Amino acid sequence: MRRALALAIVAVAVAAPSVALAQSKDDVARADALFNAAKALTDSGQYADACAKFAESKRLAPGLGVTMYLADCYEHIGRTASAWTEFRAAEGLARARNDKRADVARQHAQALEPKLDRLTIEIGPAVPRVGLSILRDGVPVSAEELGLAVPVDPGDHAVIVSSPGRPQRTLNAHVGPESPNATVRLDSLDDAAPATTAPVPVTAPTSPTSGPSPETPTDGGDPGRIRRIIGIAGMGVGVVGIGLGSVFGIMAKSSLDQSNNGPCNASDHCNGTGLSERQDASSKATLSTVFFVAGGIIAAGGVVLYLTAPSASSGAAVTVAPAPVAGGGGALLSGTF
């Protein structure tokens, strides 16, 4: 008898650091030059060229100001989903540092939300999930996004689905004023769906070149043992990463508090000591973010590997869905065993 199992994995919400540190002085100089060039282009109405420069400037030196400018630029050229995403990111950055621009970013995002076009990607139950790769406009699509109406920019979109040993499939969709919502669905990775094909007799010989079916274990013992071991190891590494993220987060908060208690006044002006403490806090906050995110991803991957490991005596199926959490986000894993 099969029983349902639901397991919620809560991703730790990580506040973005109040001050973004670029990787090098050269990156800072390049980011500043790109930002100034982009502003000049927007002043002359050349928003399409300006957006690319703002985006590269943000990549080199992320910060609240450049994120706001990039969001506004995307809105001017009609990339509503990109603008909405950047305004939401700017709101998070601003709230982390108690910046009044958080409300401005939130208002812009709320104004754009009713205008968003959305694309839903559905994968049929007959499509094997092991090794499955899905790209939307060249960007990987996570399992959590399947079946969800995800905001996308207006225009044409290509969804490419591939799996080892199977032909690649490309699904095209268009969203815009005339069709603000679109859905693409794939029920088979084969060129021709085998739904009406007669079943092969049990006595039919097996072709020497044909491999075992996805449900047939190739190991007479426990075919999922190695996979479960890797999953357990991944969960352990993920927990360690989250723990390190907590340590660096506490250290970053301590350095920031020290800068606020003397070296930096209420107007956010700091002396040399205060600037050093602010930079130290930002560096530790960045490390905290990296360890938290990496630890959460590795731990979640370990759980998925463990739960989806095949068993000689029973089948298993696991699905992943988003789980909203106060102050952040998470994922809901559900499966049957």
Side-chain angles (χ1 to χ4, degrees), residues 146-166:
L146 297 179
L148 297 181
V150 178
V152 294
D153 290 328
D156 296 321
H157 299 273
V159 177
I160 298 176
V161 184
S162 60
S163 184
R166 301 295 185 93

Side-chain angles (χ1 to χ4, degrees), residues 5 10 52 56 102 134 144 151 249 293 302 307 317 319:
L5 170 67
V10 179
E56 179 63 8
I134 305 173
E144 291 88 341
V293 173
L307 294 181
T319 57

Side-chain angles (χ1 to χ4, degrees), residues 36-102:
N36 291 331
K39 286 183 65 178
L41 288 170
T42 59
D43 292 339
S44 59
Q46 302 178 60
Y47 285 95
D49 293 333
C51 291
K53 294 185 183 298
F54 278 134
E56 179 63 8
S57 177
K58 178 187 175 185
R59 185 188 71 82
L60 291 170
L64 176 57
V66 69
T67 303
M68 292 285 288
Y69 271 94
L70 179 59
D72 180 72
C73 189
Y74 280 150
E75 185 174 5
H76 272 88
I77 64 174
R79 293 184 57 177
T80 50
S82 295
W84 177 76
T85 300
E86 294 298 332
F87 277 127
R88 291 287 302 273
E91 181 187 359
L93 289 171
R95 296 212 182 279
R97 56 188 295 182
N98 294 322
D99 193 303
K100 62 183 179 181
R101 283 173 289 182

